[in-house]
Amino acid sequence: MKDLFEKIYRDKGPLGKWASQAEGYFVFPKLEGEISNRMKFQGKEVITWSINDYLGLANHPEVRKVDAEAAAQYGSAYPMGARMMSGHTDLHEKLQNELAAFVKKEAAYLLNFGYQGMVSTIDALVSKDDIIVYDVDAHACIIDGVRLHMGKRFTYKHNDVESLEKNLERASKMAEQTGGGILVISEGVFGMRGEQGRLKEIVALKKKFNFRLFVDDAHGFGTLGATGAGAGEGQGVQDDIDVYFATFAKSLASTGAFIAGDKEIIDYLKYNLRSQMFAKSLQMQLVVGALKRLDMLKTMPELKAKLWENVNALQSGLKARGFDIGTTQSCVTPVYLKGSIPEAMALVKDLRENYGIFCSIVVYPVIPKGMILLRLIPTATHTLEDVNETLAAFEGIRDRLENGTYKRLSAAVMAAMGE
């Protein structure tokens, strides 16, 4: 019999094998200072493009004041216990009601964490007789939720409506045999590439197939639509989303999440979501803080306007300089380059040390081998000066990547890995 840990000692995984070279710098980096457009990294000021603080609320003085007052009034423990037992309050209900009204749904229910809540919601919505059809590029929380499903599931090609239709045909035949139903899952905005889910086209398929639609709108909530109610509002199909999900970790710059939909569906979920039934209630200071943030989202449209001023300046500037930013339709700004993992390490180190630009780096296995993705997240706190400095920096690193500078610099990394 093998030692359970033998595989761990033998194979650290596609990312883990780089830990000795990458940890503390490329992965698990430590940004310091107040959350803003410019922070400190290893003692140096950098323009920060890796914080999902879309509306700039994380360090807003009004938000910090309310957060501090709530912490002083309630501490970090209240209320104690799960919602069903002893952790339910009027303010939890108030936040739920305001969130539901904002995203134009009958009811909403708070979740402690987005990832945990997504996994648990999928688990609660389906039984073994049901079939799940979901986008192949769905976020890890969706994939993990689907893994809990004991019935059949199909993936469709990313944002490919024809592929979705073919899989709905397969799912419909299977549902007729099992006596179950069909759940389609998409994202409002795919957080790595920035593309919006094709919600309008998916909804149109309801005329032909009998399914329910669940949308993860983590990156769309607060950034898309006339009021900021998300991708569904922006595409004119919010009413046709059966279960709407969003997190507080992006536009609201906090911790927590919520689901929204018809009251009867939300009532069912709040009695069957294991992650909420058997977990401590969302702390009051977070609830009070979320109420303040939601109010600012509703009453301060200038925050979203400034965000999009920065988004448009950054994305148009990159495209004008010949950079490939894919087909993003959101604030998420990916820049695609060609290179190896060691080249990517050399490039990012140059970008941070010599240009003062901090953005996230994504490599294989998240994207195909030979590709480097630099992911930038504009926020309302960025300035046009930040944008211009970044555009100049990207021109510099592209030149060095293309003339082989990073390939030469990465030789030491490859030698250390024995490759």
Side-chain angles (χ1 to χ4, degrees):
M1 181 183 295
K2 287 185 178 180
D3 178 355
L4 177 67
F5 291 168
E6 181 181 335
K7 61 182 179 293
I8 298 174
Y9 300 135
R10 185 179 66 252
D11 183 3
K12 302 297 183 184
L15 291 178
K17 73 175 184 176
W18 299 97
S20 60
Q21 288 78 25
E23 191 162 324
Y25 194 94
F26 302 102
V27 294
F28 300 103
K30 299 172 184 176
L31 284 168
E32 299 176 325
E34 295 186 346
I35 297 171
S36 187
N37 58 318
R38 294 183 183 238
M39 299 175 69
K40 290 285 184 71
F41 178 64
Q42 298 198 338
K44 296 180 180 180
E45 183 182 80
V46 290
I47 301 173
T48 311
W49 296 102
S50 61
I51 305 295
N52 291 323
D53 180 25
Y54 285 121
L55 300 178
L57 297 179
N59 199 41
H60 194 287
E62 291 185 37
V63 165
R64 290 188 63 162
K65 181 175 183 291
V66 169
D67 285 352
E69 290 172 350
Q73 181 176 358
Y74 297 104
S76 61
Y78 184 81
M80 287 298 294
R83 290 281 297 280
M84 293 185 75
M85 303 299 288
S86 55
H88 188 65
T89 73
D90 288 340
L91 288 179
H92 284 73
E93 286 188 353
K94 176 179 172 63
L95 178 56
Q96 287 173 173
N97 292 337
E98 292 194 10
L99 286 165
F102 183 68
V103 298
K104 302 172 179 64
K105 296 296 180 186
E106 286 184 356
Y109 193 64
L110 293 179
L111 308 170
N112 291 357
F113 297 99
Y115 198 111
Q116 171 204 59
M118 173 60 70
V119 170
S120 193
T121 301
I122 294 172
D123 177 53
L125 284 171
V126 293
S127 70
K128 64 180 179 61
D129 295 326
D130 300 321
I131 296 91
I132 297 176
V133 183
Y134 65 106
D135 192 295
V136 70
D137 280 1
H139 189 270
C141 64
I142 295 173
I143 293 171
D144 284 354
V146 171
R147 283 175 175 171
L148 290 178
H149 179 42
M150 293 183 290
K152 292 290 184 180
R153 65 260 197 161
F154 301 114
T155 59
Y156 61 92
K157 295 177 184 177
H158 174 59
N159 256 355
D160 187 323
V161 177
E162 183 179 346
S163 175
L164 171 58
E165 186 167 1
K166 288 179 180 177
N167 279 282
L168 281 171
E169 289 172 355
R170 297 169 65 194
S172 296
K173 291 177 182 177
M174 189 163 290
E176 288 175 2
Q177 296 172 357
T178 64
I182 301 171
L183 178 68
V184 172
I185 307 175
S186 178
E187 296 189 43
V189 173
F190 290 85
M192 200 59 65
R193 302 185 188 188
E195 299 161 329
Q196 290 188 41
R198 298 179 66 180
L199 306 182
K200 191 171 185 178
E201 290 92 335
I202 294 173
V203 164
L205 290 176
K206 284 188 172 186
K207 296 176 182 177
K208 185 175 181 181
F209 301 96
N210 183 18
F211 64 87
R212 294 293 187 172
L213 177 59
F214 184 18
V215 173
D216 173 354
D217 204 25
H219 289 272
F221 177 74
T223 68
L224 298 176
T227 69
E233 180 184 54
Q235 296 184 37
V237 294
Q238 186 74 352
D239 289 347
D240 298 291
I241 296 173
D242 297 294
V243 181
Y244 178 89
F245 165 94
T247 175
F248 299 161
K250 308 295 193 290
S251 288
L252 296 193
S254 186
T255 299
F258 72 97
I259 47 175
D262 290 349
K263 185 178 184 303
E264 191 166 355
I265 304 306
I266 298 304
D267 282 347
Y268 170 83
L269 287 171
K270 75 180 184 183
Y271 281 93
N272 290 277
L273 281 171
R274 294 173 65 82
S275 67
Q276 304 307 123
M277 294 168 64
F278 301 104
K280 185 181 180 298
S281 176
L282 193 66
Q283 297 100 311
M284 186 67 89
Q285 66 191 86
L286 296 175
V287 174
V288 173
L291 280 164
K292 174 62 178 178
R293 290 160 169 82
L294 180 60
D295 180 67
M296 293 174 72
L297 172 56
K298 292 188 291 187
T299 61
M300 298 175 68
E302 64 270 21
L303 296 174
K304 187 161 77 76
K306 177 57 179 172
L307 164 66
W308 276 98
E309 178 186 341
N310 292 333
V311 171
N312 292 330
L314 179 65
Q315 293 184 357
S316 62
L318 287 165
K319 287 191 286 188
R321 288 161 177 77
F323 285 96
D324 179 7
I325 65 170
T327 55
T328 181
Q329 303 156 309
S330 69
C331 304
V332 178
T333 306
V335 178
Y336 298 94
L337 301 167
K338 292 182 179 179
S340 65
I341 292 178
E343 284 179 290
M345 289 179 172
L347 180 154
V348 169
K349 188 167 186 179
D350 190 24
L351 196 60
R352 293 177 182 177
E353 299 297 324
N354 299 316
Y355 292 98
I357 306 296
F358 189 101
C359 62
S360 299
I361 174 178
V362 183
V363 294
Y364 176 82
V366 180
I367 59 174
K369 286 184 178 180
M371 293 294 296
I372 302 169
L373 190 161
L374 299 176
R375 179 173 175 262
L376 293 87
I377 302 293
T379 73
T381 64
H382 284 104
T383 66
L384 294 181
E385 181 184 356
D386 296 333
V387 171
N388 291 330
E389 283 188 40
T390 301
L391 293 173
F394 270 62
E395 288 187 292
I397 61 160
R398 178 176 58 187
D399 290 343
R400 294 186 179 191
L401 181 63
E402 292 177 349
N403 68 24
T405 299
Y406 297 135
K407 193 168 188 177
R408 293 190 293 273
L409 290 173
S410 68
V413 176
M414 294 295 284
M417 291 300 299
E419 296 190 3

